[in-house]
Amino acid sequence: MAASPHPLATEAGLSVLKAGGNAIEAAIAIGATIGVVCPHFCGLGGDAVWLVADPSGRRDCFLGIGQAAADLPDFETDIPVRGPMSMLTSACAVDAWRHAHEYSTRHWRGGSPLSALLTDAIRRAREGFPVTRSQSFWLDFRRSEAANWAGFADLFMPQGAAPEVGSLFRQERLAQSLELIARDGPRSFYEGELAARIAAGLAAAGSPLSPADLAATRTREVSPLSFVYRGVELLAPPPPTQGVTTLAIMGVLANFDLARLEAGGADHLHLCVEAVKQAFLTREGIADPDFVAQPVEEWLSPDRLAAAARSIDWKHALDWPAPFRGGDTVFFGAVDGEGGSASVLQSIYFDWGSGVPVGDTGILWQNRGAAFSLLPHHPNRIAPGKRPFYTLNPGLGLAGGKPALIYGTQGADGQPQTLAMILTRLLDYREDPFTALAGPRFLLGKTFSDSRDSLKLESDVGAAVSSELARRGHQLSLIEPKSPLAGQAGVIAVDQDGALCGAHDPRGDGIALGF
């Protein structure tokens, strides 16, 4: 089974599985294709975080996170969120494909050449694909500011406006870049012919990234963090990602018997919201462990989590403690016939990333450098070669040591929040993936359209629930049912007999397909 936010990407992964490929190979094909058909959320100029596991007990995490340039400019007031000065970190998604492919060959008997896994992406870039509602919306939403992004309109608004939904969209330059990767291998993005073109484009745009920065970009293979919740071992990526935050939320909720509460009721929602607040109290400490010590064991200690649970007031809401971080991304996952599983997030940070295409490559570069801080003693203070705090947060759940849940979501700050609701529905209330994904959700904090630190709540929770939450002191902003603000998640569940059940969020265009 494969799941992703775009049917064409899901189909690309499923075709690999049908041909006998494994879940990692399918995920590479999905990642390449989705970088073409969802250019507003991810692509070759971004990063990726992978979790993989198999029934033998092997579980690993690949941190495809680019590092800051070795020669950084002096920022006086702030780091721009768009333009060349937001292009401060290298892009590691393509190297993550390389690392995952080599891992597949070593451990999962992978036999598909990486070039073959890019075939669908190249075809979609060259021949075109129908523009989605999501792509059209984000083009139209950013239309006025995009007019100032050098080279952007030529690639994405060739007629001066967002292309109509369903119209055919082609990316010939991107197809050529993908062909170079297929011909010369993924490292050509960093050290080959394509790398030279990328470096020239970055320099011409005014980014501080150099050829040496590209060549130094490498995926890290690390052990995932874990926490056992209701008998299922939940895996998450370690710092500099916020995976520890998701596990801390679940660790707080583990102290309550949620199954005795009504699913989607005021008590269920209140507990999840308050557990999120408790976990976010320490999130500002997350940073690159190469630069700042990360006391993960302390953050996830039973005593700390139990104390956080005791501090939750059933009758009164805590103020929201977290500063807003923007960002969009895509989740995709795959499970093969032998139980091998891959859970992946790819991102260019904000929608449309930096807004700057790199030279003639057709590659839109990320603006992840804007996630750094300039505060002198902040854990996430920018530094040469440092990786920024990362919202990408894919998940894998193991039952009896074997993959049982593959899950993840779009949503930056909202990722741990969305996952808390989905995981409690899956594990406390035993809902199937589609039902769990369809249930009303929330988002704490600011959004691109609402600067208030309110609790955004999907209105289909019902008047009784929203009134009760307001009575407990939650500052509510009701949003439409199935709002994209509440994340676009995917889930594949594997039962003890190996049967698969999967779904992608009704809040988007995605789909899960199996055979």
Side-chain angles (χ1 to χ4, degrees), residues 152-421:
F152 181 87
D154 289 342
L155 284 183
F156 299 105
M157 296 189 291
Q159 306 302 319
E164 293 183 4
V165 175
S167 63
L168 205 62
F169 185 72
R170 297 182 176 88
Q171 300 174 85
E172 177 60 33
R173 294 176 184 176
L174 184 60
Q176 293 171 4
S177 293
L178 284 163
E179 285 177 332
L180 287 175
I181 295 170
R183 187 192 74 185
D184 300 335
R187 286 305 301 175
S188 67
F189 187 95
Y190 305 94
E191 301 172 276
E193 177 184 337
L194 179 56
R197 292 170 57 186
I198 290 172
L202 289 167
S207 166
L209 290 167
S210 69
D213 293 320
L214 294 177
T217 304
R218 293 278 178 173
T219 302
R220 313 274 190 101
E221 184 173 319
V222 296
S223 296
L225 305 178
S226 70
F227 182 85
V228 177
Y229 183 84
R230 314 302 189 216
V232 175
E233 185 181 7
L234 304 177
L235 305 182
T241 82
Q242 64 175 340
V244 64
T245 303
T246 295
L247 296 186
I249 294 168
M250 304 313 296
V252 173
L253 291 173
N255 290 274
F256 300 94
D257 187 3
L258 269 72
R260 296 174 63 89
L261 308 176
E262 178 187 359
D267 286 337
H268 176 207
L269 284 161
H270 178 77
L271 275 184
C272 286
V273 169
E274 296 305 299
V276 166
K277 292 175 182 176
Q278 292 296 322
F280 271 58
L281 288 171
T282 58
R283 196 180 70 143
E284 279 294 288
I286 298 174
D288 187 340
D290 292 349
F291 289 75
V292 181
Q294 298 290 282
V296 171
E297 292 184 1
E298 177 187 341
W299 290 339
L300 294 178
S301 69
D303 289 345
R304 187 186 188 100
L305 297 173
R310 287 194 299 271
S311 71
I312 291 177
D313 188 329
W314 282 87
K315 297 181 180 180
H316 298 286
L318 183 72
D319 289 338
W320 176 231
F324 172 66
R325 298 177 191 270
D328 280 301
T329 184
V330 295
F331 161 78
F332 51 93
V335 179
D336 60 39
E338 296 185 4
S341 302
S343 180
V344 189
L345 287 176
Q346 284 187 178
S347 176
I348 52 173
Y349 199 29
F350 285 20
D351 58 279
W352 303 111
S354 66
V356 181
V358 178
D360 63 354
T361 65
I363 297 170
L364 190 65
W365 210 260
Q366 65 183 350
N367 62 332
R368 186 63 64 169
F372 281 116
S373 172
L374 293 180
L375 296 176
H377 302 294
H378 195 284
N380 196 40
R381 177 175 172 79
I382 193 168
K386 189 175 184 178
R387 295 170 296 166
F389 167 86
Y390 235 74
T391 54
L392 270 63
N393 186 21
L396 251 167
L398 308 178
K402 299 179 180 180
L405 285 175
I406 297 86
Y407 55 90
T409 183
Q410 175 204 43
D413 281 359
Q415 288 186 31
Q417 306 180 43
T418 295
L419 294 181
M421 284 299 292

Side-chain angles (χ1 to χ4, degrees), residues 1 55 232 335-341 397-406 426-427 430-433 491-502:
M1 181 171 284
V232 175
V335 179
D336 60 39
E338 296 185 4
S341 302
L398 308 178
K402 299 179 180 180
L405 285 175
I406 297 86
L426 289 167
L427 299 176
R430 302 298 177 181
E431 293 179 349
D432 63 83
V491 176
I492 300 176
V494 188
D495 71 15
Q496 293 180 343
D497 298 323
L500 302 174
C501 179

